[in-house]
Amino acid sequence: MPHALTVPSPGLQALILCGPGASLNTFTSKPEEFPKALVPIANRPMIWYPLDWCYRMGITKIHLVTPPSSLKPIEAALFQNPHLTSLPSPKADILAPESLEPTSGTAEILRHPNVRAVISGDFLILPCDLICEIPGESLLEAWMIQEPGLGGAASKSLDSVGPKTGGDGENGGRRGGLGVWYQSKTESSAKTTETDFIITTALPQSTVHPPELSLRPHISKLVYATSSDTLSDIIEENKGFPIRHGLIRKHGRIRMLTTHRDAYIYIFPHWVLDLAARNDTFVGIGEDVVGWWAKASWQDGLAEKLGLRQIFEGSSMSPSSDERDGVDSSSHHSGVIEDDIDLANMSSTHTSSLLLPTQTSNRQRFPIPPILSYIHPSPPAPSSSSPLLLRVDTPSLLLNTSLHLATHPPGTTPHAHPQKISTPSLIAAHTTVHAPTTLLAPNVTVATHASIKECVIGASCSIGAGAKLSRCLLMDEVEVGDKCVLSGCVLGRRARVGNGAVLKDVEVQGGFVVEAGLEAKNEKMMVFGLEDDDQHDDDDDDEDDGNDEETQARVSNSAEGEGMEWGS
């Protein structure tokens, strides 16, 4: 579909985080060759979807942040992949600082000098694995109405009044931010489905009713945010979840959500960069930057320790030693919402230990710009009547999302392909290809008597005679032999399946060779490189090195990759 910009530029920049892909390690074990950002979703590189979403809402100043190991393949794809080259100009910039590691936390990215140097105003944070059918301009509209940044005059009900920084735009009004969460758990979802724990409170009712399709009815104020793992630790340590008086005093009515997931879509004012820089114990954006910011809106003294007063009043960005000692991200993980306040002994003359040494009890408490939350109301199961919003960061989500997008008829949605069967001349006679549920990329060869239903098949794949494929995702240049039966499988680039193999719910790493006649179910098939084990090279010189099976392995599909996932 054409990418005409129907809205004026909102003036924001976008940072798209292209992480290592630990949760997709079957296909991303060599990020220097094939990073997560290039894993195909419905035959398009994963990074295409957030890029397309940005261009459609008018954002053209886009920066892809990636470890240096993934720089070359992503750079090559931007100039060579037909889906990425078809995106509007200007092309996205790539930031790959030498000191950025695959294990670096996302808050560390906000502190990095190379990143701070390119962000000049309000900005958007996105993960590279995002699929979002919600119009981006609708989300921006809701944020701009709630957080206009006009010196606080238009947002008095949201505590946006107070000291100004003396600048223009958002700096003059201390604009707040917005995050997005969506329902990720249903009766049919796996037990390992990732969720987060958030607490929200309703915003004051507007006297003007929003338009019918507005997202504003689903906007609330975020007052607490953490991961489900941290929530489990809190409950185990405290034999329950402690609700502190400070939260209840500030917000008498709250809503707790345990089955939603952070989409890692954040609209941030520029001052958030200073918040991350002043607090070098912050590791992640979702749990640390957003979590502490949300708590600071109601926890007495916390805003001072985070350095927010100094940020808003324009003092030096470097925090004092007292401030550094006062905030430890581990206390957020402990679940103690008001760690240093003894509520049982508190009196009207008591001075909390959270106050800075230079702070007096009669010093005016300054208001904190709110971090708002958009809670997507639609169910996570893909349907034709609800816009899709989810992160595709597991093989199961990769398969199901690709199959869902394959059902979109040409021209009906921004994600629909112009042609579902790109090269029909390469499909032999007496074959069955179910076009409404199948997507075939260019140069796919299908031999006679093959059957394909509910599949997404990448470019230059070859399907043998009599093969039967259902609910499968094949990446580029995969070869499937004669009379194979594949169901619910995901096959990486250049994988080969021998004649007569029967595979069900199997992940096959790129380059892996499945032997003929093999029957497998619920497995991962991966190649393990032994060529780097130099210490055994001399001993193996006289041995038979022609056994390729020594470099391949089959493991249970329940095995999970390790490592930090950007956007977790």
Side-chain angles (χ1 to χ4, degrees):
M1 293 183 67
H3 295 269
L5 300 179
T6 58
V7 294
S9 172
L12 274 72
Q13 299 170 255
L15 287 180
I16 302 180
L17 309 184
C18 303
S23 57
L24 290 169
N25 67 320
T26 306
F27 315 105
T28 61
S29 59
K30 294 183 178 180
E32 68 278 3
E33 298 178 5
F34 192 58
K36 175 184 176 181
L38 302 184
V39 171
I41 302 176
N43 286 342
R44 289 188 177 108
M46 182 180 287
I47 191 63
W48 181 90
Y49 293 91
L51 282 172
D52 175 75
W53 195 61
C54 287
Y55 285 120
R56 288 186 177 279
M57 75 173 87
I59 296 177
T60 58
K61 195 172 183 180
I62 306 169
H63 309 278
L64 309 182
V65 184
T66 183
S69 58
S70 301
L71 172 61
K72 289 185 178 180
I74 293 178
E75 192 174 45
L78 287 177
F79 286 92
Q80 298 173 11
N81 187 281
H83 298 290
L84 298 178
T85 56
S86 66
L87 291 171
S89 296
K91 291 185 179 297
D93 297 328
I94 303 179
L95 295 177
E98 289 294 331
S99 58
L100 191 63
E101 300 290 339
T103 56
S104 297
T106 50
E108 296 178 55
I109 295 175
L110 295 185
R111 287 193 293 270
H112 200 284
N114 294 41
V115 174
R116 291 177 58 87
V118 300
I119 302 299
S120 57
D122 297 347
F123 61 102
L124 189 69
I125 293 281
L126 299 173
C128 69
D129 55 21
L130 176 70
I131 302 287
C132 185
E133 294 180 342
I134 301 172
E137 57 271 23
S138 298
L139 197 64
L140 290 177
E141 176 204 39
W143 172 69
M144 289 179 175
I145 290 176
Q146 299 290 357
E147 295 295 315
L150 299 176
S155 299
K156 187 173 182 178
S157 62
L158 298 182
D159 291 339
S160 291
V161 297
K164 312 299 186 295
T165 61
D168 296 324
E170 70 89 18
N171 286 333
R174 297 194 297 107
R175 179 179 286 166
L178 184 143
V180 176
W181 285 261
Y182 64 94
Q183 176 70 256
S184 66
K185 205 157 192 174
T186 61
E187 295 180 359
S188 60
S189 61
K191 292 182 179 180
T192 56
T193 299
E194 185 173 343
T195 59
D196 294 285
F197 175 64
I198 60 174
I199 303 177
T200 66
T201 187
L203 296 173
Q205 291 291 328
S206 173
T207 56
V208 180
H209 192 72
E212 182 179 355
L213 299 179
S214 173
L215 303 182
R216 277 183 280 156
H218 307 292
I219 301 289
S220 52
K221 183 177 180 179
L222 186 73
V223 296
Y224 193 84
T226 192
S227 67
S228 56
D229 291 340
T230 301
L231 175 63
S232 298
D233 294 340
I234 293 172
I235 294 175
E236 182 178 355
E237 180 180 347
N238 297 277
K239 309 303 180 183
F241 183 76
I243 301 296
R244 300 297 181 178
H245 291 180
L247 176 59
I248 301 303
R249 282 198 304 267
K250 180 70 174 180
H251 305 290
R253 187 171 184 178
I254 58 176
R255 181 186 181 197
M256 297 185 180
L257 301 175
T258 60
T259 61
H260 287 66
R261 185 181 181 188
D262 189 348
Y264 238 74
I265 302 174
Y266 298 116
I267 305 176
F268 281 157
H270 187 267
W271 61 261
V272 171
L273 294 177
D274 292 336
L275 175 63
R278 294 183 67 90
N279 297 276
D280 53 13
T281 58
F282 286 179
V283 177
I285 293 176
E287 196 163 1
D288 290 327
V289 176
V290 171
W292 281 104
W293 179 1
K295 288 175 61 178
S297 67
W298 54 266
Q299 182 170 321
D300 290 338
L302 180 56
E304 298 280 1
K305 290 193 172 182
L306 293 176
L308 289 176
R309 182 183 294 274
Q310 288 76 15
I311 292 173
F312 298 148
E313 293 181 350
S315 65
S316 173
M317 192 188 70
S318 300
S320 65
S321 59
D322 291 331
E323 290 173 314
R324 288 187 183 275
D325 295 339
V327 176
D328 181 2
S329 62
S330 63
S331 65
H332 179 67
H333 297 169
S334 71
V336 183
I337 301 181
E338 293 181 357
D339 296 323
D340 299 325
I341 298 180
D342 185 357
L343 292 174
N345 298 323
M346 185 179 291
S347 69
S348 60
T349 59
H350 174 71
T351 301
S352 169
S353 59
L354 275 176
L355 298 179
L356 292 173
T358 58
Q359 184 179 2
T360 60
S361 59
N362 61 357
R363 186 173 183 180
Q364 181 182 6
R365 183 181 184 275
F366 68 100
I368 308 300
I371 173 70
L372 305 179
S373 58
Y374 168 70
I375 310 299
H376 189 48
S378 301
S383 67
S384 57
S385 60
S386 62
L388 191 63
L389 171 61
L390 80 166
R391 293 186 56 196
V392 183
D393 58 354
T394 67
S396 175
L397 287 171
L398 179 66
L399 173 62
N400 292 330
T401 304
S402 295
L403 297 181
H404 167 69
L405 296 176
T407 63
H408 291 188
T412 56
T413 70
H415 297 157
H417 285 257
Q419 281 184 297
K420 301 193 68 177
I421 312 296
S422 297
T423 319
S425 61
L426 297 180
I427 300 177
H430 309 294
T431 61
T432 301
V433 178
H434 192 250
T437 60
T438 299
L439 194 62
L440 301 186
N443 302 317
V444 173
T445 302
V446 183
T448 185
H449 295 103
S451 174
I452 301 175
K453 183 178 181 180
E454 288 188 86
C455 290
V456 174
I457 300 180
S460 303
C461 288
S462 174
I463 311 300
K468 298 184 183 300
L469 280 68
S470 63
R471 292 190 59 79
C472 290
L473 168 62
L474 278 61
M475 300 183 192
D476 295 348
E477 302 179 43
V478 171
E479 296 181 15
V480 177
D482 297 342
K483 297 184 179 179
C484 292
V485 179
L486 276 61
S487 175
C489 297
V490 182
L491 278 63
R493 301 184 307 159
R494 306 186 187 96
R496 288 187 291 165
V497 183
N499 295 339
V502 180
L503 307 180
K504 183 176 181 180
D505 300 330
V506 171
E507 299 170 26
V508 181
Q509 188 183 41
F512 192 97
V513 179
V514 180
E515 63 187 59
L518 177 69
E519 295 186 9
K521 181 179 180 180
N522 293 324
E523 292 185 6
K524 287 184 179 182
M525 299 182 178
M526 301 181 67
V527 177
F528 290 87
L530 302 180
E531 64 277 9
D532 294 333
D533 194 359
D534 295 332
Q535 61 181 340
H536 298 299
D537 285 351
D538 295 338
D539 296 336
D540 295 340
D541 285 344
D542 298 330
E543 298 179 4
D544 181 14
D545 59 355
N547 187 358
D548 291 338
E549 293 180 354
E550 290 183 353
T551 64
Q552 299 195 160
R554 295 161 55 190
V555 297
S556 169
N557 209 19
S558 61
E560 296 181 357
E562 298 180 353
M564 178 176 291
E565 186 70 55
W566 286 11
S568 298

